[in-house]
């Protein structure tokens, strides 16, 4: 079984860190609204990708552990030779330090598995080792911005094991949208994972964003500014860039769970919260093959949309009089 990081477009590189930028994708997801309560402190975020620029001033303090599962290089060599993994890491957790760029959860802890080579290719053995390592490290959420054409029993069991460990699995939907109406690959297609589509600044679906019944939510994925190789920064486009925005948001949700309830949230609770916080972009039809349930943002709290309306209809006793996180926990406990 062959794996590739999702194709992406490198639009521009920039090595001037003199000013701090909060990218439009981070603003659209509403992350700054939550930073007063939590920036993801103490939350373990796993990233399975091409590695990371471990000396980058925005990332080096966020890296807590790493492993190289590729056939090439030593086990502790997680240096990125491609750029994809470094860009994703910055979207999740680039530090808020007055310069460079800011991630969605700028105090989250990064656990890096370098499973892809410089060409962005991998195999099942490398992916398996990376996922088992994430389980061993007991990470709270894992970002997977890569695809394969097939699932298979061993792969299915592996993802289920990760999910059963209590780890939320956030995946890029893929960049095959122009090739048909059912183009989402694996792992985004697994039932345990959250498939993230890409939209532009106007919340229009990207032409390249893969489509299918597995599409769940969407986030900005065009011209996203984040960290890059050699201590630099770059603009990249792809569902690979949308997924880590959601991964960072999950880190914030876990941070809120730890502060309010003294525990991380379960994958089912996280999934419900992600869906509750969406803006329906389907014209009132609910979940569709492009946008999923819609555009995720913390700024959606308390606003009526398709998901909240449906929850109120079916689970009003659990929802009534509670904040949105408590409502989600009560709904899951009631057997949703």
């Amino acid at each position: 079984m062959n794996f590739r990081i999702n194709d992406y477009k490198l639009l521009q590189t920039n090595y001037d860190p003199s000013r701090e930028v909060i990218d439009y994708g981070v603003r659209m997801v509403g992350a700054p609204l939550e930073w007063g309560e939590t920036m993801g402190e103490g939350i373990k975020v796993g990233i399975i990708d091409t590695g990371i620029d471990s000396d980058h001033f925005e990332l080096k303090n966020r890296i807590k552990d790493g492993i190289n599962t590729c056939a090439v290089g030593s086990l502790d060599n997680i240096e990125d030779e491609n750029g994809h993994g470094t860009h994703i890491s910055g979207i999740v957790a680039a530090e808020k330090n007055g310069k460079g760029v800011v991630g969605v959860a700028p105090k989250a802890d990064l656990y890096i598995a370098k499973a892809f080579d410089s060409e962005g290719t991998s195999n099942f053995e490398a992916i398996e080792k990376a996922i088992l390592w994430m389980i061993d490290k007991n990470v709270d959420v894992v970002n997977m911005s890569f695809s394969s054409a097939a699932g298979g029993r061993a792969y299915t069991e592996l993802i289920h094991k990760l999910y059963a460990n209590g780890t939320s699995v956030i995946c890029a939907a893929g960049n095959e949208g122009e090739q048909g109406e059912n183009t989402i690959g694996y792992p985004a297609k697994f039932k345990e994972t959250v498939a993230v589509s890409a939209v532009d600044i106007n919340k229009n679906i990207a032409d390249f964003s893969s489509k299918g019944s597995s599409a769940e939510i969407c986030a900005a994925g065009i011209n996203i500014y984040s960290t890059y190789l050699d201590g630099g920064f770059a603009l990249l486009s792809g569902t690979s860039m949308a997924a880590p925005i959601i991964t960072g948001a999950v880190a914030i949700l876990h941070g809120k769970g730890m502060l309010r309830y003294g525990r991380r949230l379960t994958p089912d609770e996280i999934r419900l919260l992600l869906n509750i916080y969406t803006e329906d972009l389907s014209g009132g039809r609910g979940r569709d093959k492009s946008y999923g349930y819609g555009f995720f943002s913390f700024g959606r709290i308390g606003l009526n949309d398709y998901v909240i309306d449906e929850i109120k209809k079916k689970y009003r006793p659990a929802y009534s009089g509670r904040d949105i996180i408590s409502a989600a926990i009560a709904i899951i406990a009631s057997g949703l």
Side-chain angles (χ1 to χ4, degrees):
M1 188 183 301
N2 296 318
F3 295 79
R4 284 198 60 83
I5 57 172
N6 291 317
D7 292 336
Y8 65 94
K9 293 182 179 180
L10 173 60
L11 302 172
Q12 178 183 340
T13 56
N14 177 6
Y15 295 89
D16 178 14
S18 60
R19 63 189 183 96
E20 184 174 79
V21 175
I22 301 177
D23 183 74
Y24 86 93
V26 177
R27 293 185 185 277
M28 283 178 70
V29 83
L33 298 173
E34 303 299 324
W35 289 343
E37 182 176 7
T38 178
M39 293 186 179
E41 296 93 326
I43 304 304
K44 297 180 177 182
V45 178
I47 298 176
I48 301 175
D49 215 281
T50 61
I52 192 170
D53 179 355
S54 65
D55 290 326
H56 201 297
F57 72 91
E58 291 281 25
L59 301 172
K60 62 183 180 181
N61 295 326
R62 305 273 35 93
I63 303 169
K64 299 305 175 184
D65 206 347
I67 187 172
N68 183 343
T69 65
C70 292
V72 179
S74 61
L75 285 176
D76 59 353
N77 177 16
I78 58 172
E79 294 305 317
D80 189 0
E81 301 170 271
N82 178 281
H84 190 264
T86 297
H87 198 266
I88 284 170
S89 297
I91 294 171
V92 174
E95 290 193 317
K96 185 167 174 40
N97 50 20
K99 54 186 178 180
V101 70
V102 186
V104 175
K107 290 188 178 179
D109 296 334
L110 295 179
Y111 288 74
I112 304 298
K114 179 179 178 178
F116 291 81
D117 61 22
S118 61
E119 300 300 316
T121 63
S122 187
N123 56 44
F124 182 74
E125 182 181 9
I127 299 300
E128 180 181 35
K129 288 179 179 178
I131 291 176
L132 292 175
W133 184 80
M134 293 295 175
I135 293 172
D136 182 62
K137 295 300 175 179
N138 199 30
V139 300
D140 300 305
V141 55
V142 171
N143 189 91
M144 298 184 182
S145 289
F146 56 84
S147 291
S148 64
R153 181 174 179 179
Y155 195 9
T156 301
E157 291 176 351
L158 195 60
I159 294 295
H160 179 73
K161 187 174 182 179
L162 180 62
Y163 189 81
N165 186 61
T167 302
S168 297
V169 188
I170 310 302
C171 302
N175 301 328
E176 311 297 330
E178 297 173 332
Q179 299 182 25
E181 291 299 313
N182 292 285
T183 54
I184 295 176
Y186 295 91
K189 205 170 183 176
F190 286 121
K191 65 180 181 179
E192 293 90 348
T193 67
V194 175
V196 184
S197 305
V199 296
D200 64 17
I201 196 169
N202 297 311
K203 302 178 187 175
N204 295 315
I205 197 73
D207 290 341
F208 56 74
S209 190
S210 290
K211 300 174 178 64
S213 59
S214 298
E216 189 150 352
I217 54 177
C218 52
I222 297 179
N223 298 359
I224 302 298
Y225 187 66
S226 183
T227 48
Y228 203 62
L229 299 179
D230 301 320
F233 303 87
L235 285 171
L236 272 64
S237 292
T239 59
S240 285
M241 287 66 249
I245 290 178
I246 300 303
T247 298
V250 171
I252 287 178
L253 288 171
H254 275 305
K256 292 166 80 71
M258 291 299 297
L259 288 170
R260 298 184 186 191
Y261 308 105
R263 67 171 177 85
R264 70 179 184 181
L265 304 177
T266 69
D268 286 341
E269 290 166 348
I270 288 291
R271 183 171 229 146
L272 180 58
L273 285 167
L274 290 176
N275 294 338
I276 287 174
Y277 281 61
T278 59
E279 175 187 358
D280 180 24
L281 299 176
S282 69
R285 297 186 303 274
R287 188 174 187 173
D288 71 15
K289 291 185 176 182
S290 294
Y291 297 100
Y293 284 113
F295 183 81
F296 174 88
S297 175
F298 287 106
R300 292 289 302 170
I301 297 176
L303 299 179
N304 290 328
D305 59 20
Y306 176 83
V307 176
I308 289 180
D309 285 344
E310 290 299 303
I311 286 172
K312 285 182 176 179
K313 290 176 187 176
K314 296 172 65 175
Y315 303 98
R316 185 174 295 276
Y319 188 91
S320 179
R322 299 174 184 264
D323 68 83
I324 201 164
I325 294 181
S326 296
I329 291 173
I331 290 165
I332 293 296
S334 69
L336 174 64

